[in-house]
């Protein structure tokens, strides 16, 4: 089942690491560590094999993919030996990357995006193409009447003003052309009611938002622990320090606010209340693609006895995110092949701010993900045909 993976932000760190990883897996140069779809509970015939993934994408920058991979290898994000071993494969993906359309109205740009997607599918004889947004985080857009109504949105897109942020324009182009869409960022994407209605009308599956790779991953394990032990969390404060392009982008107050909002849902919806404290994100250029999160949790036990928990997470964002990007592409492709449409709530396991669900416990999300895998692979829980 040859499947296209179209990456929005294809020359960024997460996309480049995903591409090198997919090529290395295909060539047998690395193992699938970090790819949860290779665990026995999820692996099966419905998922496209790594060898069947065909990669392409859009970006606003033109830095050659091989140069991006070499730069990431130089700072320890990925092994230099893999970049050196895959020059022809990287050149092949380079030929499938396109500049992000920037001319004309947003309707014109959406049509150009859809043409690139359709041409990619037809050129390679692909069964389907999954569009995955891994571009820079955007500020929340200003409200517009077209955000609520598909007809009003179509009309507004032909005008001179930008009605949709880039993530939502890509979502519009993808779903109206019949391609599934996954938003790995906290950007708006398919959150707008008009876009959700269009996705449902075109019967395509979609998922998001904001890949869960670090501090929030730990929150989704620890917050249920406090709830299940009936311990009162009095405060939960976190400081996140990161560099690289993501860190520089999050220095913008609007993008920063969007990211922080995404990270906070897990506490309120898991505990049933929001403790004191907040999450702060700081840009430290020297850290590059690595990030450090420090959290302080104060809680009360029996008789009101006060206690505290502290943890530090130091990780490489792209190396944590890339296998999940491949997982999401494989699972969404299988869901599309199975005729599923609408929000794939079972993929909440992968997201900080999952669509259409308030289930944030990683254990509960894992159970639902395994149930989905059984249905996709034709197991006992599969729906009747």
């Amino acid at each position: 089942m040859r499947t296209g993976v179209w990456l929005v932000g294809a020359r960024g760190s997460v996309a480049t690491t995903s591409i090198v990883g997919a090529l290395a897996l295909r060539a047998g140069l690395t193992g699938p560590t970090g790819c949860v779809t290779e665990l026995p509970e999820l692996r099966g015939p419905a998922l496209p094999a790594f060898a069947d993934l065909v990669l392409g994408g859009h970006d606003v920058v033109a830095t050659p993919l091989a140069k991006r991979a070499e730069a990431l290898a130089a700072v320890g994000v990925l092994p230099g030996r893999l970049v050196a071993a895959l020059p022809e494969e990287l050149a092949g993906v380079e030929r499938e990357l396109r500049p992000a359309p920037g001319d004309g109205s947003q309707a014109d740009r959406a049509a150009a995006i859809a043409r690139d997607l359709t041409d990619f599918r037809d050129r390679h004889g692909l069964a389907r193409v999954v569009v995955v947004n891994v571009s820079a985080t955007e500020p929340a857009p200003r409200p517009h009447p077209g955000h609520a109504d598909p007809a009003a949105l179509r009309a507004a897109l032909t005008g001179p003003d930008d009605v949709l942020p880039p993530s939502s324009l890509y979502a519009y182009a993808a779903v109206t052309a019949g391609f599934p869409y996954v938003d790995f960022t906290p950007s708006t994407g398919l959150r707008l009611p008009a876009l959700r209605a269009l996705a449902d009308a075109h019967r395509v599956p979609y998922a998001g938002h904001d890949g869960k790779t670090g501090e929030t991953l730990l929150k989704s394990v620890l917050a249920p622990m406090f709830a299940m032990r009936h311990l009162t969390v009095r405060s939960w404060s976190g400081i996140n320090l990161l560099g690289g392009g993501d860190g520089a982008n999050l220095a913008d107050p609007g993008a920063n606010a969007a990211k922080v909002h995404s990270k906070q849902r897990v506490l309120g919806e898991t505990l049933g209340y929001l403790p004191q404290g907040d999450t702060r994100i700081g840009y430290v250029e020297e850290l590059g693609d690595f990030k450090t999160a420090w959290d302080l949790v104060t809680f009360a036990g029996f008789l009101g006895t006060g206690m505290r928990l502290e943890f530090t997470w130091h990780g490489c964002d792209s190396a944590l995110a890339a296998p999940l990007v491949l997982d999401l592409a494989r699972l969404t492709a299988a869901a599309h092949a199975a005729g599923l449409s609408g929000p794939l709530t079972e993929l909440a396991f992968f997201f900080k701010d999952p669509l259409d669900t308030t289930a944030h416990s990683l254990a509960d999300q894992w159970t639902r993900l395994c149930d989905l895998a059984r249905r996709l692979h034709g197991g006992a829980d599969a729906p009747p045909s």
Side-chain angles (χ1 to χ4, degrees):
M1 184 172 63
R2 282 169 57 79
T3 298
V5 182
W6 191 265
L7 299 165
V8 183
R11 300 183 191 277
S13 297
V14 171
T16 301
T17 307
S18 301
I19 291 167
V20 172
L23 296 176
L25 285 164
R26 179 192 302 171
L29 299 176
T30 193
T33 301
C35 294
V36 300
T37 47
E38 286 300 292
L39 290 170
E41 296 90 340
L42 302 185
R43 190 171 58 236
L47 301 182
F50 290 117
D52 291 332
L53 299 182
V54 182
L55 303 159
H58 280 119
D59 209 316
V60 296
V61 301
T63 306
L65 184 62
K67 292 293 185 185
R68 290 289 296 123
E70 289 168 3
L72 291 173
V75 295
V77 173
L78 50 85
R81 65 177 178 81
L82 294 182
V83 181
L86 297 165
E88 294 182 7
E89 292 84 353
L90 286 168
V93 178
E94 180 72 40
R95 291 191 290 271
E96 300 302 330
L97 303 187
R98 299 292 181 266
D103 296 331
S105 67
Q106 285 202 306
D108 295 329
R109 281 174 263 163
I113 292 167
R115 283 195 300 273
D116 284 342
L117 291 169
T118 302
D119 290 347
F120 177 64
R121 180 195 63 196
D122 295 346
R123 185 164 61 252
H124 293 284
L126 304 173
R128 57 195 40 82
V129 177
V130 179
V131 178
V132 185
N133 180 28
V134 286
S135 61
T137 299
E138 306 160 354
R142 289 191 299 178
H144 186 281
H147 294 170
D149 177 70
L153 178 61
R154 288 193 190 94
L157 291 176
T158 63
D161 298 327
D162 282 359
V163 177
L164 295 176
S167 63
S168 297
L169 187 65
Y170 273 94
Y172 173 86
V175 301
T176 55
F179 298 102
Y181 178 84
V182 176
D183 205 328
F184 201 74
T185 81
S187 300
T188 303
L190 266 169
R191 294 181 200 269
L192 303 176
L195 295 180
R196 301 281 293 271
L198 287 168
D200 293 340
H202 287 82
R203 299 195 59 76
V204 293
Y206 52 91
H209 289 84
D210 201 3
K212 184 164 57 182
T213 59
E215 180 196 37
T216 311
L217 177 63
L218 290 175
K219 284 180 176 178
S220 69
V221 175
L222 293 173
M225 175 196 73
F226 285 110
M228 287 186 287
R229 289 296 298 268
H230 203 190
L231 299 170
T232 301
V233 177
R234 289 175 168 169
S235 69
W236 196 314
S237 299
I239 297 174
N240 291 244
L241 302 176
L242 67 162
D246 193 31
N249 178 64
L250 290 173
D252 174 77
N256 193 297
K259 185 77 170 181
V260 168
H261 174 77
S262 170
K263 292 170 72 67
Q264 287 296 88
R265 269 191 68 190
V266 61
L267 292 181
E269 295 180 2
T270 300
L271 299 173
Y273 56 92
L274 196 60
Q276 293 181 27
D278 57 16
T279 298
R280 300 180 185 180
I281 300 174
Y283 174 51
V284 181
E285 183 179 4
E286 192 276 334
L287 292 177
D289 202 58
F290 289 77
K291 63 182 180 183
T292 295
W294 174 78
D295 278 37
L296 170 65
V297 185
T298 63
F299 62 98
F302 190 52
L303 306 179
T305 303
M307 291 168 273
R308 60 193 285 163
L309 164 71
E310 297 178 46
F311 68 80
T312 303
W313 174 273
H314 181 68
C316 179
D317 207 37
S318 296
L320 290 163
L324 306 186
V325 170
L326 301 179
D327 287 332
L328 285 162
R330 298 176 79 196
L331 287 162
T332 304
H336 194 212
L340 302 185
S341 63
L344 296 174
T345 58
E346 297 89 348
L347 300 188
F349 177 84
F350 297 97
F351 297 110
K352 297 182 182 75
D353 191 14
L355 288 169
D356 289 11
T357 179
T358 58
H360 290 279
S361 164
L362 193 69
D364 292 343
Q365 292 173 341
W366 173 249
T367 298
R368 297 190 66 202
L369 181 61
C370 292
D371 288 344
L372 172 66
R374 282 193 291 272
R375 294 199 305 274
L376 294 176
H377 297 314
D381 293 327
S385 58

